[in-house]
PDB file of all heavy atoms in Angstrom:
ATOM      1  N   THR E1314      40.171  35.539  60.632  1.00  0.00           N
ATOM      2  CA  THR E1314      41.383  35.309  61.565  1.00  0.00           C
ATOM      3  C   THR E1314      41.043  36.076  62.864  1.00  0.00           C
ATOM      4  O   THR E1314      40.127  36.802  62.953  1.00  0.00           O
ATOM      5  CB  THR E1314      42.587  35.965  60.969  1.00  0.00           C
ATOM      6  OG1 THR E1314      42.462  37.417  60.926  1.00  0.00           O
ATOM      7  CG2 THR E1314      42.901  35.405  59.507  1.00  0.00           C
ATOM      8  N   SER E1326      24.247  53.932  51.774  1.00  0.00           N
ATOM      9  CA  SER E1326      23.499  55.022  52.269  1.00  0.00           C
ATOM     10  C   SER E1326      22.498  55.611  51.278  1.00  0.00           C
ATOM     11  O   SER E1326      21.498  56.046  51.598  1.00  0.00           O
ATOM     12  CB  SER E1326      24.495  56.229  52.736  1.00  0.00           C
ATOM     13  OG  SER E1326      25.225  56.576  51.515  1.00  0.00           O
ATOM     14  N   ILE E1330      22.418  47.103  48.548  1.00  0.00           N
ATOM     15  CA  ILE E1330      23.483  46.450  49.421  1.00  0.00           C
ATOM     16  C   ILE E1330      24.581  46.039  48.509  1.00  0.00           C
ATOM     17  O   ILE E1330      24.482  45.772  47.296  1.00  0.00           O
ATOM     18  CB  ILE E1330      22.992  45.106  50.071  1.00  0.00           C
ATOM     19  CG1 ILE E1330      22.319  44.127  49.110  1.00  0.00           C
ATOM     20  CG2 ILE E1330      21.869  45.538  51.125  1.00  0.00           C
ATOM     21  CD1 ILE E1330      21.915  42.755  49.663  1.00  0.00           C
ATOM     22  N   GLU E1347      10.157  38.972  42.450  1.00  0.00           N
ATOM     23  CA  GLU E1347       9.612  37.864  41.733  1.00  0.00           C
ATOM     24  C   GLU E1347       8.199  38.055  41.561  1.00  0.00           C
ATOM     25  O   GLU E1347       7.495  38.621  42.430  1.00  0.00           O
ATOM     26  CB  GLU E1347       9.862  36.470  42.613  1.00  0.00           C
ATOM     27  CG  GLU E1347      11.223  36.114  42.715  1.00  0.00           C
ATOM     28  CD  GLU E1347      11.422  34.849  43.590  1.00  0.00           C
ATOM     29  OE1 GLU E1347      10.557  33.987  43.376  1.00  0.00           O
ATOM     30  OE2 GLU E1347      12.441  34.667  44.229  1.00  0.00           O
ATOM     31  N   PHE E1350       2.864  37.103  35.596  1.00  0.00           N
ATOM     32  CA  PHE E1350       2.216  38.019  34.560  1.00  0.00           C
ATOM     33  C   PHE E1350       1.348  37.149  33.629  1.00  0.00           C
ATOM     34  O   PHE E1350       1.541  35.900  33.736  1.00  0.00           O
ATOM     35  CB  PHE E1350       3.267  38.838  33.807  1.00  0.00           C
ATOM     36  CG  PHE E1350       4.162  38.090  33.013  1.00  0.00           C
ATOM     37  CD1 PHE E1350       3.990  37.997  31.611  1.00  0.00           C
ATOM     38  CD2 PHE E1350       5.346  37.373  33.533  1.00  0.00           C
ATOM     39  CE1 PHE E1350       4.828  37.373  30.787  1.00  0.00           C
ATOM     40  CE2 PHE E1350       6.085  36.751  32.629  1.00  0.00           C
ATOM     41  CZ  PHE E1350       5.954  36.685  31.342  1.00  0.00           C
ATOM     42  N   ARG E1355      -1.101  36.845  20.215  1.00  0.00           N
ATOM     43  CA  ARG E1355      -2.053  37.480  19.300  1.00  0.00           C
ATOM     44  C   ARG E1355      -1.358  37.602  17.939  1.00  0.00           C
ATOM     45  O   ARG E1355      -0.164  37.486  17.817  1.00  0.00           O
ATOM     46  CB  ARG E1355      -2.535  38.764  19.843  1.00  0.00           C
ATOM     47  CG  ARG E1355      -1.404  39.871  20.022  1.00  0.00           C
ATOM     48  CD  ARG E1355      -1.890  40.937  20.845  1.00  0.00           C
ATOM     49  NE  ARG E1355      -2.243  42.138  20.036  1.00  0.00           N
ATOM     50  CZ  ARG E1355      -2.535  43.240  20.550  1.00  0.00           C
ATOM     51  NH1 ARG E1355      -2.641  43.445  21.760  1.00  0.00           N
ATOM     52  NH2 ARG E1355      -2.939  44.245  19.733  1.00  0.00           N
ATOM     53  N   ASN E1359      -3.864  42.740  16.115  1.00  0.00           N
ATOM     54  CA  ASN E1359      -5.119  42.354  16.063  1.00  0.00           C
ATOM     55  C   ASN E1359      -5.487  41.557  17.410  1.00  0.00           C
ATOM     56  O   ASN E1359      -4.619  40.602  17.642  1.00  0.00           O
ATOM     57  CB  ASN E1359      -5.384  41.515  14.803  1.00  0.00           C
ATOM     58  CG  ASN E1359      -6.863  41.317  14.605  1.00  0.00           C
ATOM     59  OD1 ASN E1359      -7.651  41.188  15.462  1.00  0.00           O
ATOM     60  ND2 ASN E1359      -7.306  41.583  13.358  1.00  0.00           N
ATOM     61  N   THR E1367       0.375  31.574  30.880  1.00  0.00           N
ATOM     62  CA  THR E1367       0.870  31.931  32.297  1.00  0.00           C
ATOM     63  C   THR E1367       2.288  32.403  32.153  1.00  0.00           C
ATOM     64  O   THR E1367       2.978  31.935  31.231  1.00  0.00           O
ATOM     65  CB  THR E1367       0.773  30.762  33.306  1.00  0.00           C
ATOM     66  OG1 THR E1367       1.442  29.717  32.705  1.00  0.00           O
ATOM     67  CG2 THR E1367      -0.627  30.362  33.574  1.00  0.00           C
ATOM     68  N   SER E1369       5.954  33.747  34.650  1.00  0.00           N
ATOM     69  CA  SER E1369       6.581  34.157  35.898  1.00  0.00           C
ATOM     70  C   SER E1369       7.840  34.890  35.498  1.00  0.00           C
ATOM     71  O   SER E1369       8.367  34.808  34.350  1.00  0.00           O
ATOM     72  CB  SER E1369       6.867  32.912  36.687  1.00  0.00           C
ATOM     73  OG  SER E1369       7.700  32.048  35.963  1.00  0.00           O
ATOM     74  N   GLY E1396      -0.563  38.952  10.099  1.00  0.00           N
ATOM     75  CA  GLY E1396       0.899  39.496  10.447  1.00  0.00           C
ATOM     76  C   GLY E1396       1.715  38.664  11.311  1.00  0.00           C
ATOM     77  O   GLY E1396       1.413  37.451  11.517  1.00  0.00           O
ATOM     78  N   ASN E1408      14.463  47.803  27.875  1.00  0.00           N
ATOM     79  CA  ASN E1408      15.269  49.077  28.066  1.00  0.00           C
ATOM     80  C   ASN E1408      15.595  49.654  26.719  1.00  0.00           C
ATOM     81  O   ASN E1408      16.179  49.050  25.864  1.00  0.00           O
ATOM     82  CB  ASN E1408      16.614  48.613  28.715  1.00  0.00           C
ATOM     83  CG  ASN E1408      17.550  49.958  29.120  1.00  0.00           C
ATOM     84  OD1 ASN E1408      17.264  50.902  28.625  1.00  0.00           O
ATOM     85  ND2 ASN E1408      18.541  49.585  29.884  1.00  0.00           N
ATOM     86  N   GLY E1416      16.446  41.571  23.660  1.00  0.00           N
ATOM     87  CA  GLY E1416      16.515  40.298  24.367  1.00  0.00           C
ATOM     88  C   GLY E1416      15.960  39.310  23.514  1.00  0.00           C
ATOM     89  O   GLY E1416      15.124  39.504  22.664  1.00  0.00           O
ATOM     90  N   GLY E1425       1.947  22.296  17.326  1.00  0.00           N
ATOM     91  CA  GLY E1425       0.652  22.629  16.816  1.00  0.00           C
ATOM     92  C   GLY E1425       0.628  23.770  15.695  1.00  0.00           C
ATOM     93  O   GLY E1425      -0.327  24.423  15.477  1.00  0.00           O
ATOM     94  N   SER E1430       8.369  25.801  12.512  1.00  0.00           N
ATOM     95  CA  SER E1430       8.282  25.859  14.116  1.00  0.00           C
ATOM     96  C   SER E1430       9.609  25.362  14.771  1.00  0.00           C
ATOM     97  O   SER E1430       9.672  25.524  15.932  1.00  0.00           O
ATOM     98  CB  SER E1430       7.167  24.983  14.541  1.00  0.00           C
ATOM     99  OG  SER E1430       7.319  23.643  14.205  1.00  0.00           O
ATOM    100  N   ASP E1438      11.165  44.457  21.838  1.00  0.00           N
ATOM    101  CA  ASP E1438      11.216  45.611  20.908  1.00  0.00           C
ATOM    102  C   ASP E1438      11.567  46.778  21.825  1.00  0.00           C
ATOM    103  O   ASP E1438      11.158  46.790  23.023  1.00  0.00           O
ATOM    104  CB  ASP E1438       9.811  45.740  20.176  1.00  0.00           C
ATOM    105  CG  ASP E1438       9.887  46.308  18.857  1.00  0.00           C
ATOM    106  OD1 ASP E1438      11.061  46.682  18.347  1.00  0.00           O
ATOM    107  OD2 ASP E1438       8.821  46.357  18.136  1.00  0.00           O
ATOM    108  N   HIS E1458       7.634  35.415  12.262  1.00  0.00           N
ATOM    109  CA  HIS E1458       6.902  34.275  12.135  1.00  0.00           C
ATOM    110  C   HIS E1458       5.316  34.606  12.073  1.00  0.00           C
ATOM    111  O   HIS E1458       4.870  35.275  12.907  1.00  0.00           O
ATOM    112  CB  HIS E1458       7.128  33.390  13.487  1.00  0.00           C
ATOM    113  CG  HIS E1458       6.865  31.930  13.238  1.00  0.00           C
ATOM    114  ND1 HIS E1458       6.164  31.086  13.970  1.00  0.00           N
ATOM    115  CD2 HIS E1458       7.367  31.055  12.218  1.00  0.00           C
ATOM    116  CE1 HIS E1458       6.207  29.842  13.493  1.00  0.00           C
ATOM    117  NE2 HIS E1458       6.880  29.900  12.439  1.00  0.00           N
ATOM    118  N   SER E1461      -0.476  33.333  10.772  1.00  0.00           N
ATOM    119  CA  SER E1461      -1.390  32.323  10.101  1.00  0.00           C
ATOM    120  C   SER E1461      -0.861  30.874  10.390  1.00  0.00           C
ATOM    121  O   SER E1461      -1.652  29.944  10.246  1.00  0.00           O
ATOM    122  CB  SER E1461      -1.376  32.690   8.599  1.00  0.00           C
ATOM    123  OG  SER E1461      -0.199  32.552   8.116  1.00  0.00           O
ATOM    124  N   PHE E1472       8.705  29.258  26.387  1.00  0.00           N
ATOM    125  CA  PHE E1472      10.231  29.620  26.365  1.00  0.00           C
ATOM    126  C   PHE E1472      10.596  30.437  27.523  1.00  0.00           C
ATOM    127  O   PHE E1472       9.774  30.953  28.269  1.00  0.00           O
ATOM    128  CB  PHE E1472      10.376  30.528  24.981  1.00  0.00           C
ATOM    129  CG  PHE E1472       9.599  31.710  24.925  1.00  0.00           C
ATOM    130  CD1 PHE E1472      10.121  32.995  25.503  1.00  0.00           C
ATOM    131  CD2 PHE E1472       8.344  31.855  24.415  1.00  0.00           C
ATOM    132  CE1 PHE E1472       9.503  34.154  25.466  1.00  0.00           C
ATOM    133  CE2 PHE E1472       7.638  33.008  24.357  1.00  0.00           C
ATOM    134  CZ  PHE E1472       8.302  34.165  24.882  1.00  0.00           C
TER     135      PHE E1472
END
Side-chain angles (χ1 to χ4, degrees):
T1314 66
S1326 62
I1330 59 174
E1347 293 184 31
F1350 66 101
R1355 61 193 266 182
N1359 196 316
T1367 59
S1369 60
N1408 184 347
S1430 63
D1438 217 354
H1458 205 228
S1461 64
F1472 63 90

